[in-house]
Amino acid sequence: MMNLVMAGAFGLGLLAVALVGAGFAASSPMALLMTAVIGLVYLFGALEIRRFRASSAGLAAALARIPQPLDGIGAWLETVPADLRSAVRQRIDGERAALPGPALTPYLVGLLVMLGMLGTFLGMVLT
C-alpha cells in the first residue's frame, strides 16, 4: 500500500513538472530550461529516496532473519545491504555510527526552494 502511495505522489509531481514545462515550451525557452533542470533534480532526488527505501527494507529483512543462536556475525552480515554493512558492523562492535541516509536530497530540496524564491524576486522586479 505504501509503495502505491509513494508511486502516486511521485507520478503527480512528475506530471506537474511536465505540465509546467509544456506551458513554457512555446513561450519562454529560459523558463523551459529551468523547468527541465527542476525536473532533473526531482528525478535524481526520487532515485536517491528509492535507493534509501530499498536499503532500509533490506536491513529490516536481514534483522528479521537473524539466526538463533547467532554463531558468527560474518555470515549474517552478508545478508545486510552492501551500503549499510560498515555502519551495522560498527554498531555491533559498540561504536557510535550513524546509518547512512539520503545525502543530496535535502540539499536538492533547498536548492529548489531557493530557485523558487529567486523566481519570485525576479517576477516582482519585472512587475
Side-chain angles (χ1 to χ4, degrees):
M1 178 66 176
M2 189 60 168
N3 288 337
L4 186 62
V5 170
M6 296 295 283
F10 171 74
L12 284 175
L14 199 57
L15 179 66
V17 171
L19 290 174
V20 169
F24 287 130
S27 62
S28 176
M30 180 60 115
L32 180 61
L33 177 68
M34 288 307 295
T35 305
V37 168
I38 289 170
L40 287 174
V41 168
Y42 181 76
L43 289 174
F44 182 76
L47 179 66
E48 186 179 35
I49 294 294
R50 183 172 181 257
R51 277 188 269 153
F52 173 72
R53 287 177 50 89
S55 294
S56 296
L59 179 60
L63 289 172
R65 292 189 310 261
I66 295 177
Q68 298 297 330
L70 184 60
D71 296 327
I73 198 69
W76 174 79
L77 204 54
E78 291 298 317
T79 64
V80 174
D83 55 339
L84 298 177
R85 280 187 199 140
S86 175
V88 170
R89 165 72 79 183
Q90 288 174 346
R91 282 187 161 206
I92 290 171
D93 291 340
E95 298 177 30
R96 295 180 66 166
L99 292 174
L104 291 178
T105 302
Y107 298 108
L108 294 175
V109 169
L111 175 68
L112 290 177
V113 169
M114 294 308 271
L115 281 174
M117 292 171 77
L118 177 64
T120 301
F121 176 72
L122 289 176
M124 290 170 62
V125 167
L126 291 175
T127 299

